[in-house]
Amino acid sequence: MVFDQQGFQTTSELWTGSLFRERGVEAILGAHVSKVEDGLIHYETLDGAAHTIGFDFAMLIPPFGGVPLKAFDADGADITAELFAPSGFMKVDADYTAKPYELWRAEDWPTTYAAPGYDNLWAVGIAFAPPHQISRPHKTANGTMIAPSPPRTGMPSGVMGKTVAMTIADRIKHGADVEAHTASMARMGAACVASAGAGLTRGSAAAMTMLPVVPDYQRYRTGRDERETRGELGLHGHWVKLMLHYLFLYKAKARPGWQFIPE
Amino acid sequence: MTQPAAPASDPIADLSKSPLPTAKTLKMRQSLPFQFTRFLSFNSRIMRMVIKGHH
């Protein structure tokens, strides 16, 4: 991300590096974890070198993958490959044409999240197959891919789910020909709050907004709207996170007034 | 695909050039009155995004 901070364009890389330096966090960039043993992680870096690092406590995020579902048509033929990408995510109305990073476009991303050829199948959030990554993918000297997966959780997921629900409701009420509602990640904005300390008077968090989630370099010079794409560290971020925690649970339980709590 | 090279020391990123916050910035991050204004500003920015319909 690139955002305006006190009159200067700051990258999220610089911003994160600043926080890490402030907190004494050491970072290893561009690494692929190849094996995890008891107390030891094996990883490979972009230059192809192998490394190990010991740990007392580790938190690892496994590669995103879809649920290994199988699909069959009315005649019993296996149509799994037609509906799902090899990763297990469901194909939707995205442009899945293989192309290099330089040719990636905002229009590649889906808008209705409907499975092509089906009027009763949708996939939202981390269930749909993205057309490609968001960030530039990298390959190590050994050919190992190091490519961050597009984040499709949180606020964008809620918006997609609501959008598809509205489409389904409209078609039930007004017929199958009603135009679908749309919510492209290349058009929607999102907020993200990353905790950096707890406590009502001593807590902290990185509070960020971005518009759009998937950068559009044809529309915006830096890929995103510079006015709406911001990041700030402070106590207010912790308050926001705490407030959203209670609000979303309140909404999930359909308590009075839940309709007024947005995604 | 070639085999990875022999294990090397941990390639810790050099963050020594990353800017550090000033004492004033650190103080403002914990200032209750100032952070309350930032809380209102952030929430209004989120609501603006929601109301605009994510276009």
Side-chain angles (χ1 to χ4, degrees):
Chain A
M1 287 200 306
V2 175
F3 45 83
D4 183 324
Q5 195 154 46
Q6 293 172 313
F8 289 92
Q9 283 191 346
T10 300
T11 63
S12 50
E13 182 182 359
L14 186 71
W15 201 61
T16 307
S18 172
L19 181 59
F20 279 15
R21 186 182 172 205
E22 179 193 328
R23 300 290 181 95
V25 175
E26 293 182 326
I28 298 171
L29 308 177
H32 165 77
V33 173
S34 55
K35 190 176 170 186
V36 180
E37 293 174 350
D38 188 15
L40 192 70
I41 289 173
H42 297 256
Y43 66 96
E44 181 186 348
T45 45
L46 283 170
D47 58 1
H51 307 266
T52 58
I53 187 166
F55 66 88
D56 296 312
F57 180 81
M59 185 172 76
L60 290 160
I61 301 173
F64 271 179
V67 177
L69 295 174
K70 303 285 280 181
F72 304 90
D73 65 11
D75 298 323
D78 191 333
I79 54 170
T80 304
E82 177 190 332
L83 279 181
F84 297 98
S87 54
F89 298 121
M90 179 174 275
K91 297 178 194 171
V92 292
D93 60 315
D95 180 355
Y96 294 108
T97 310
K99 53 181 103 168
Y101 172 78
E102 289 72 20
L103 296 180
W104 293 356
R105 293 291 181 268
E107 296 75 36
D108 298 341
W109 289 79
T111 57
T112 68
Y113 303 92
Y118 296 87
D119 62 0
N120 60 350
L121 279 180
W122 288 267
V124 299
I126 55 172
F128 82 87
H132 42 67
Q133 291 86 8
I134 296 175
S135 304
R136 181 189 294 273
H138 296 280
K139 199 182 277 191
T140 72
N142 302 315
T144 304
M145 286 300 294
I146 296 182
S149 293
R152 287 163 285 139
T153 55
M155 190 168 170
S157 277
V159 172
M160 289 178 226
K162 181 180 174 180
T163 299
V164 168
M166 286 164 61
T167 298
I168 294 170
D170 279 354
R171 289 184 176 174
I172 290 172
K173 287 193 279 191
H174 306 295
D177 293 332
V178 170
E179 203 170 322
H181 290 263
T182 61
S184 169
M185 285 179 67
R187 303 284 283 190
M188 75 168 74
C192 180
V193 183
S195 293
L200 275 177
T201 57
R202 286 277 172 261
S204 183
M208 297 164 276
T209 55
M210 65 199 77
L211 174 71
V213 175
V214 172
D216 183 348
Y217 294 99
Q218 273 60 55
R219 196 172 177 198
Y220 302 102
R221 189 171 55 89
T222 61
R224 295 192 171 96
D225 184 317
E226 289 172 56
R227 180 176 173 239
E228 302 290 4
T229 302
R230 306 240 198 113
E232 196 172 335
L233 279 157
L235 180 56
H236 76 283
H238 175 69
W239 292 342
V240 168
K241 188 131 192 180
L242 194 63
M243 177 189 73
L244 292 178
H245 165 81
Y246 286 105
L247 281 180
F248 289 147
L249 284 174
Y250 186 95
K251 179 175 179 171
K253 292 177 182 177
R255 294 266 163 85
W258 68 269
Q259 303 93 323
F260 303 107
I261 300 171
E263 294 300 328
Chain B
M1 184 185 293
T2 58
Q3 292 299 312
S9 58
D10 288 328
I12 307 293
D14 178 12
L15 302 177
S16 60
K17 303 287 188 299
S18 298
L20 284 173
T22 61
K24 183 185 174 189
T25 296
L26 289 173
K27 192 177 169 188
M28 295 306 282
R29 283 183 190 170
Q30 302 282 301
S31 160
L32 293 178
F34 180 70
Q35 289 300 314
F36 184 67
T37 65
R38 303 314 301 149
F39 176 75
L40 295 176
S41 171
F42 187 74
N43 283 320
S44 65
R45 202 171 337 128
I46 295 177
M47 286 311 299
R48 193 164 63 233
M49 257 184 214
V50 171
I51 290 166
K52 273 165 74 173
H54 308 281
H55 291 303

